[in-house]
Amino acid sequence: MSESGTLNVGMVGYAFMGAAHSHAWRTAPRFFDLPLAPRMTAVAGRDPERVAAAAATLGWDSTETDWRRLVERDDIDLIDICVPGDLHAEIAIAALEAGKHVLCEKPLANSVAEAERMTAAAEAAEARGAFAMCGFSYRRTPALSLAKRLVESGALGRIRHVRAQYLQDWLTDEDAPLTWRLDKSKSGSGSLGDIGAHIVDAAQWIAGANVTGVSALMETFVKERPVGGEFVGLGGHGGVDGPRGPVTVDDAAMFTARFEGGAVGVFEATRFALGRKNAMRLELNGSKGALAFDFEDMNALWFYDAADEPNAGFRRIQVTEPEHPYTGNWWPVGHGLGYEHAFTHQVVDLVGAIANRERPAPSFADALRVQRVLAAVEASAADESRWTAV
Ligand code: SOE
């Protein structure tokens, strides 16, 4: 880390997550009092023209066409990995071994074996003062951070049920192209790792208990898709006559689960739920209360307190009060936040952990626990939904 109190960041990749992370690095120091000043020192991408354009658009000081240069540069303190999962392990381990901090997008890796190697590298690097976080950004949606606070306060009592869905619909169009998220060699899995990983992490974190076993099924509805081309939106690809290639990942994953402590859960992840654009939903039922959240109404948290009976019912908490997590640094009550704010909060907490020389959360070990659940889901689905321990 630079002695000058700055944190020089090098980012690998500049697509959707690169744009979200860039926004967060730019914005965090303007709305939060950070102990270190992030500097957007370099962005790396293979295509020189495209990465130069991305640097200009997203606000990076320099560019590299090989991520290894970021690892080698003495003026880089942290490497932010925003590329598909097949590169996460190689980049994260090289960065950690070079003494750099790491922020790695989710899911941590494309396999448990890779995630284990990354976690070992992170734990070894901590001894040398380098820290690592995995980008399960939804934890830092204020409403879900409030949900965690309420569960920890005992407001729900003993957790009995966890109900988690992550519903999108952007792949319902059979002519949507064969992008990297549909190629197992790049993404590791389909809906399971791309969006199912988010609800597994959020559920384990908020419930304060890990999944111990699953029974799962997975399905691929569209087996072949047009090769080449970019995703242009639902229904925007009609009449593609070119060659089609095989889809090698799941389109939908569903599983029942048991948690440490006795709770049971139901999880569903799909990108074929027409009309659901980014419906990341959680409901927790406890012995004294219940919580419900839907990212499509992300500034609200529904809370039921049995002590209010007979006039209980779910009440809608508008999570915009200054006392709520993160919200006090933004706008007056009722003005609300968006998807990008969770990424800014992620940077705020990562910079704070680094300055305090503390393990950031979610750590690679936390993300490895998610990876183990994903692997158990795949094993169960491949074995007639047989109950599979995590
Ligand atoms: C999938 O469409 C996706 O982009 C995920 O990859 C992100 O992690 C999620 O935040 C939004 O949806």
Side-chain angles (χ1 to χ4, degrees), residues 2-238:
S2 305
E3 293 315 310
S4 59
T6 60
L7 185 67
N8 292 290
V9 181
M11 184 172 76
V12 187
Y14 49 81
F16 175 14
M17 284 301 111
H21 285 227
S22 300
H23 172 88
W25 289 115
R26 274 197 314 273
T27 306
R30 290 172 171 74
F31 283 83
F32 292 81
D33 181 16
L34 300 185
L36 293 170
R39 180 174 296 153
M40 299 169 69
T41 303
V43 56
R46 281 165 300 187
D47 181 310
E49 284 73 34
R50 292 180 65 179
V51 72
T57 303
L58 300 175
W60 293 87
D61 295 343
S62 66
T63 63
E64 296 290 351
T65 54
D66 181 344
W67 61 264
R68 294 170 185 80
R69 281 287 303 133
L70 298 184
V71 174
E72 291 160 2
R73 283 176 58 165
D74 292 336
D75 64 340
I76 298 287
D77 304 311
L78 182 148
I79 297 205
D80 186 0
I81 303 172
C82 293
V83 290
D86 62 313
L87 290 174
H88 288 186
E90 185 181 12
I91 299 172
I93 292 169
L96 288 163
E97 289 178 347
K100 313 282 189 192
H101 308 293
V102 171
L103 173 57
C104 182
E105 259 300 320
K106 43 52 63 184
L108 185 64
N110 285 359
S111 70
V112 168
E114 286 178 340
E116 286 172 339
R117 289 194 293 117
M118 295 168 79
T119 301
E123 287 168 359
E126 266 184 23
R128 300 193 303 272
F131 297 94
M133 177 192 268
C134 184
F136 285 108
S137 54
Y138 284 112
R139 291 186 176 205
R140 295 180 161 96
T141 302
L144 288 181
S145 284
L146 178 60
K148 171 70 175 174
R149 279 188 192 172
L150 286 170
V151 170
E152 275 185 335
S153 74
L156 272 66
R158 187 179 182 81
I159 303 299
R160 297 267 163 64
H161 279 286
V162 175
R163 201 163 294 110
Q165 301 171 325
Y166 198 154
L167 312 176
Q168 296 177 339
D169 69 1
W170 59 283
L171 284 174
T172 310
D173 178 354
E174 302 192 359
D175 290 328
L178 199 65
T179 55
W180 70 266
R181 281 186 170 84
L182 294 157
D183 174 355
K184 188 174 182 65
S185 69
K186 292 282 185 196
S187 61
S189 63
S191 63
L192 178 64
D194 185 27
I195 52 180
H198 278 301
I199 51 178
V200 170
D201 177 68
Q204 294 190 135
W205 179 63
I206 293 168
N210 292 319
V211 169
T212 57
V214 297
S215 169
L217 67 84
M218 296 167 80
E219 184 54 67
T220 302
F221 303 117
V222 176
K223 313 285 189 194
E224 291 190 331
R225 290 183 178 272
V227 176
E230 296 291 320
F231 180 73
V232 294
L234 200 57
H237 311 91

